Amino acid sequence: MGNQVVVVGGGYAGVMAANRLAGRGDATVVLVNERDYFVERIRLHEVASGVRESCRLSFDEVLHASVRRVTARVASIDAGMSRLLFADRDALAYDYLVYAAGSTARPMPSDSDDEPGMPHLSVSTDEDAARARQAVRNAAPGSAVVVRGAGHTGIELASELRAARPDIHVHLVSRGPVGRSLGAAGGKEAERALTRLGVRIHRGDGAVPAPALVLHTDGFVGASLAAESGLPVNDRGQLEVGADLRVREHPNIVGAGDGCHIGGAQNTHLRMGCASALPQGAHVADVVGALIDGAAPAAHSAGFVAQCVSLGRTRGLIQAVHPDDTPRRIRLRGRPAAVFKELICRQTVRWMRQEARRPGTYRWPAGPAARVNE
Ligand SMILES: Cc1cc2nc3c(=O)[nH]c(=O)nc-3n(C[C@H](O)[C@H](O)[C@H](O)COP(=O)(O)OP(=O)(O)OC[C@H]3O[C@@H](n4cnc5c(N)ncnc54)[C@H](O)[C@@H]3O)c2cc1C
C-alpha cells in the first residue's frame, strides 16, 4: 500500500489533519475542498448580521506548505476502488481517505409555507451567511426578523443582530429552554442577557406576525457526501466511525469533525463543534500515521473545558464545563467573557497555524473516560 492520503474537506478538522500528517514526511497529503479558501465558520453569524465583512482566510495562512490542494466538489466516494469521483475532473485515487466534509443546515421550508416571498435562510455556510447578510440589510426599519433555534448559534446571531440593526425587532423562537447545553443556570443567564439586549424570546412555535425574514439556526446535519456515496451514516447523515475513527466496512477510510458520528462509550458526550473538530482532526492524523506504520490506532478521547457564547460585540458568557460537557458552577460574564470568546476564536486559527509550522505539537484535553493523549 502506498502513502497517498487524501483529506476531503478543508474545515477545522481537515486542515488540522492535513497539517499533522504533512509533518510526517513519508506521506503525500492532498486536501480536496470545494472552495479555494478556508472559512472561519464559527464567525458566520457575524457576517450574517453585518458586523463582519468576511470569514475567509487564504489556505496559505493555515495550511502546511507541502499539502497539495485540489479545489473541487467531490461528487462521490468510490470506496471499493479507493478513489474520489468528480463531475468535471479525473478520479483521484487514495490509499487512505480522511472524511472531514463537515455539516450543513437542514433543508429550509419553502417560502410559500408562510408569507409568499419571505426568505427562510440559514447561516451555515459562507454562501448562506452572505445571503442572510443581504436579507438583513434589506429588512426595513421597524420590521421583525425571526431567529429560529436558541442554541449557541441562535443566541449569538440574535445578539449580533441587535448590535448591528438596533432599528429592527429581533425575535428568538425556541422549542426548548434557551441555551440548553449551558445548563439551567447558564441558560437563564443567557436568556436574561438577551432580554436586556432587546431580543424578544418566544417558546414553542412562537408565531411572530409578518416577519421580514426567518433565519434558521436549529439543526445541522452531516454533509451529504457520505450518504450519497453509500457509506454508513446515522439519521443526521453523519458517517459512522468507530472509536478509532475508522469506518468498520472500509478500514482505510477514517473520519473527523461534524460530518462523523463516533462510536464508543467514551465519545457519547461529543457534539458537533469546532471544539470537537480540531482534536478529532489531530487524532485522525495519528490514526492514519499508525496505519502507515503498521501499528494499531488508539481510540479517540477528548474532553471539553468551557462553552463560550458571545452576546453582541461587548458582552459574553463563558460556562465552565466538566470534560463530559456538563456545566460546572463557574461562569464568566460581561465584557471579560466577550474578550475571552474573541481570544478563543483567534486561537482556533492559531492552533491550525501552529500545527502547520510544527506538526504534531497540538494537544487537547483528555475525555471523561481515559487520558490517551498524554
Ligand atoms: C454561525 C456558526 C457559529 C458557530 N460557532 C461555534 C462556536 O462558537 N464553537 C464551536 O465549537 N463551534 C461553532 N460552530 C460549529 C463549527 O463551525 C463546526 O462544528 C465546525 O466548522 C466543524 O468543522 P469541520 O472541519 O468538521 O467542518 P467544516 O468547518 O464545515 O468544514 C468542512 C469542509 O468540507 C467541505 N466540503 C463538504 N462537502 C464537500 C465535498 N463534497 N467536496 C469538497 N468539499 C466539501 C466544506 O465546503 C467545508 O469547507 C458554529 C457554526 C456556525 C454555522
Side-chain angles (χ1 to χ4, degrees):
M1 199 165 207
N3 290 347
Q4 164 121 315
V5 185
V6 176
V7 180
V8 176
Y12 297 92
V15 168
M16 179 57 83
N19 287 348
R20 200 163 175 104
L21 279 160
R24 288 181 55 93
D26 61 355
T28 306
V29 184
V30 184
L31 180 78
V32 185
N33 193 60
E34 56 195 337
R35 302 180 192 86
D36 66 354
Y37 50 86
F38 177 86
V39 176
E40 275 192 272
R41 226 181 139 199
I42 60 173
R43 291 187 184 275
L44 282 178
H45 57 284
E46 298 175 33
V47 172
S49 59
V51 298
R52 190 183 190 86
E53 216 32 66
S54 162
C55 286
R56 299 177 185 185
L57 291 180
S58 161
F59 272 121
D60 294 336
E61 289 187 51
V62 290
L63 204 57
H64 192 286
S66 75
V67 175
R68 206 186 114 209
R69 271 167 23 207
V70 172
T71 305
R73 183 170 175 80
V74 179
S76 172
I77 299 165
D78 179 358
M81 300 287 285
S82 291
R83 59 183 189 164
L84 301 181
L85 304 176
F86 302 87
D88 49 7
R89 56 183 297 143
D90 291 343
L92 176 64
Y94 61 82
D95 298 302
Y96 301 97
L97 178 70
V98 177
Y99 183 85
S103 58
T104 56
R106 279 183 209 283
M108 295 293 111
S110 73
D111 290 355
S112 58
D113 291 350
D114 290 275
E115 305 280 311
M118 185 194 66
H120 281 268
L121 299 171
S122 149
V123 295
S124 174
T125 66
D126 196 37
E127 295 77 11
D128 292 338
R131 272 191 292 273
R133 177 193 185 86
Q134 195 51 51
V136 168
R137 269 195 190 146
N138 292 345
S143 61
V145 170
V146 171
V147 175
R148 279 202 172 269
H152 289 197
T153 306
I155 294 172
E156 293 192 328
L157 178 61
S159 330
E160 296 288 3
L161 282 169
R162 284 296 301 158
R165 288 288 311 265
D167 59 331
I168 58 176
H169 301 292
V170 179
H171 299 259
L172 182 66
V173 176
S174 168
R175 270 189 305 236
V178 171
R180 188 200 302 267
S181 68
L182 292 162
K188 282 246 156 24
E189 194 148 334
E191 191 167 336
R192 275 198 298 273
L194 285 163
T195 307
R196 270 200 302 272
L197 287 168
V199 175
R200 299 179 194 179
I201 298 171
H202 305 257
R203 307 274 178 215
D205 278 342
V208 176
L213 168 67
V214 181
L215 297 170
H216 293 254
T217 67
D218 45 355
F220 290 100
V221 293
S224 57
L225 179 59
E228 285 166 7
S229 305
L231 294 171
V233 292
N234 67 4
D235 56 5
R236 294 177 79 186
Q238 295 171 292
L239 179 67
E240 290 282 8
V241 297
D244 62 0
L245 307 188
R246 285 201 286 179
V247 176
R248 195 160 51 92
E249 297 81 351
H250 305 284
N252 64 336
I253 302 181
V254 293
D258 279 9
C260 302
H261 173 256
I262 307 177
Q266 74 273 37
N267 294 310
T268 51
H269 64 294
L270 295 179
R271 55 180 153 84
M272 284 186 181
C274 173
S276 303
L278 287 170
Q280 287 171 28
H283 186 81
V284 90
D286 294 346
V287 168
V288 173
L291 296 173
I292 289 173
D293 294 340
H300 182 58
S301 169
F304 296 103
V305 175
Q307 295 182 21
C308 309
V309 184
S310 62
L311 295 160
R313 288 297 76 205
T314 56
R315 308 192 79 73
L317 176 63
I318 309 299
Q319 172 67 59
V321 295
H322 297 283
D324 67 358
D325 210 25
T326 52
R328 301 172 64 187
R329 288 193 169 188
I330 308 162
R331 277 187 295 284
L332 182 66
R333 43 183 79 82
R335 187 174 283 275
V339 171
F340 187 86
K341 164 83 194 200
E342 176 56 29
L343 289 176
I344 288 290
C345 289
R346 292 183 192 183
Q347 187 60 40
T348 59
V349 175
R350 286 203 194 104
W351 275 318
M352 289 182 291
R353 282 194 186 131
Q354 171 201 314
E355 196 64 13
R357 277 199 301 269
R358 285 175 287 126
T361 55
Y362 173 70
R363 294 281 177 271
W364 63 95
R371 299 177 68 81
V372 297
N373 184 38
E374 291 177 351

